[in-house]
Amino acid sequence: MHDTLPLLEQTHFPSINRTRLDTLQVNLGYKCNQTCLHCHVNAGPNRTEMMDADTLALIPQVLAARGITTLDITGGAPELHDGFKDLVRAARAQGVRVIDRCNLTILFEPGQEGLARFLAEQRVEITASLPCYSVGNVDKQRGDGVFEKSIAALQQLNTLGYGVDGSGLVLNLVYNPQGPSLPPNQQALQADYKRELFAHHGVVFNQLLALTNMPIQRFGSTLVSKGTFDTYMDLLKASFHADNLAGVMCRSMVSVDWQGWLSDCDFNQQLGLPLGTSGVRRHLRDLLKTDLDGQAIRVAGHCFGCTAGQGSSCGGALGS
């Protein structure tokens, strides 16, 4: 796989600094039941990297020490970690909002039969990947049969109350473009998703989050192989909107890898870029005693992906 970091390090992206930390995004490991072209983590069934018990035990301590209000759990498929449910219970017992980055098909993996009901009982927010509302586009990006399983999972979640008005059980969907292009307008695309999924499958959900594909890991390597990396970067830079800088996720979030090392965002984590601009690696345990307010954020060329067009963050588009 091509290393894209050398192509991203020389950048004119504006310098930015942190505000108050309110979200801890934790990658529990790279094992996944799917292998997706756009995956910036390069996750898959053959990955073995998983967070150990000692590091996992630090997470609730850090949530309490820093007064963090949101735990955003990702992977791979984070539900495949043996400690996933205990972590969710510990965070919810503290009143922390928990988001599960779910690929939907995980609900049908052996041993995960009670997962959907567990998430509902703990009132976990689900952010679920569904790159299109048509079978052809989803299976092209995520593998044969993924769309059918994803729809069955959404229907199961709806039965439990997820995405249903008044239930308080939040179900958001995530869209990624099929290739080297920016996402369309999030609001218009959300209307299309809601109409098509309900009309054909009876599925309801809360919001659609339109995310820009980052030129790193598997997607970035594919761009290099096809000779389109520079063209895609030119698109991201030409679409830069300064207004999006105020809302980029790295200002109020910190990313934790499966070993407990900190980065400014999930994308920096996958590029091996440590938190901040000092070049010194910091660990999750450091957050037990250290605030990050006001510290400089490590930027590189891929950061244009978060500020292009409507902007892109873990919570979807930043602007209108």
Side-chain angles (χ1 to χ4, degrees), residues 46-67:
N46 296 323
R47 298 298 295 266
T48 59
E49 302 93 329
M50 299 293 273
M51 184 174 285
D52 64 30
D54 289 341
T55 305
L56 198 75
L58 285 171
I59 297 171
Q61 299 177 47
V62 169
L63 295 175
R66 298 271 67 82

Side-chain angles (χ1 to χ4, degrees), residues 155-193:
Q155 291 169 337
Q156 180 180 351
L157 292 170
N158 283 170
T159 299
L160 292 168
Y162 271 103
V164 177
D165 287 343
S167 71
L169 293 174
V170 177
L171 172 61
N172 295 327
L173 301 184
V174 175
Y175 165 87
N176 292 89
Q178 292 289 319
S181 60
L182 293 181
N185 178 276
Q186 180 172 283
Q187 290 77 14
L189 188 60
Q190 175 176 289
D192 292 341
Y193 263 71

Side-chain angles (χ1 to χ4, degrees), residues 229-244:
F229 185 90
D230 290 340
T231 303
Y232 187 58
M233 286 303 306
D234 289 343
L235 171 65
L236 296 182
K237 292 174 183 178
S239 305
F240 171 78
H241 281 192
D243 290 347
N244 290 329

Side-chain angles (χ1 to χ4, degrees), residues 209-278:
L209 313 180
L211 306 187
T212 300
N213 289 329
M214 288 292 164
I216 64 175
Q217 288 286 25
R218 191 177 291 146
F219 182 73
S221 180
T222 300
L223 293 176
V224 174
S225 297
K226 292 183 176 181
T228 56
F229 185 90
D230 290 340
T231 303
Y232 187 58
M233 286 303 306
D234 289 343
L235 171 65
L236 296 182
K237 292 174 183 178
S239 305
F240 171 78
H241 281 192
D243 290 347
N244 290 329
L245 288 171
V248 288
M249 58 189 177
C250 55
R251 302 195 69 201
S252 59
M253 184 200 79
V254 69
S255 177
V256 186
D257 77 3
W258 65 278
Q259 294 177 296
W261 298 111
L262 305 182
S263 294
D264 287 298
C265 71
D266 194 33
F267 309 121
N268 280 12
Q269 179 192 130
Q270 299 310 314
L271 288 168
L273 299 175
L275 182 80
T277 56
S278 69

Side-chain angles (χ1 to χ4, degrees), residues 8-15 237 240 299-301 304:
L8 298 167
E9 287 186 302
Q10 297 299 319
T11 184
H12 299 292
F13 193 83
S15 59
K237 292 174 183 178
F240 171 78
V299 298
F304 284 102

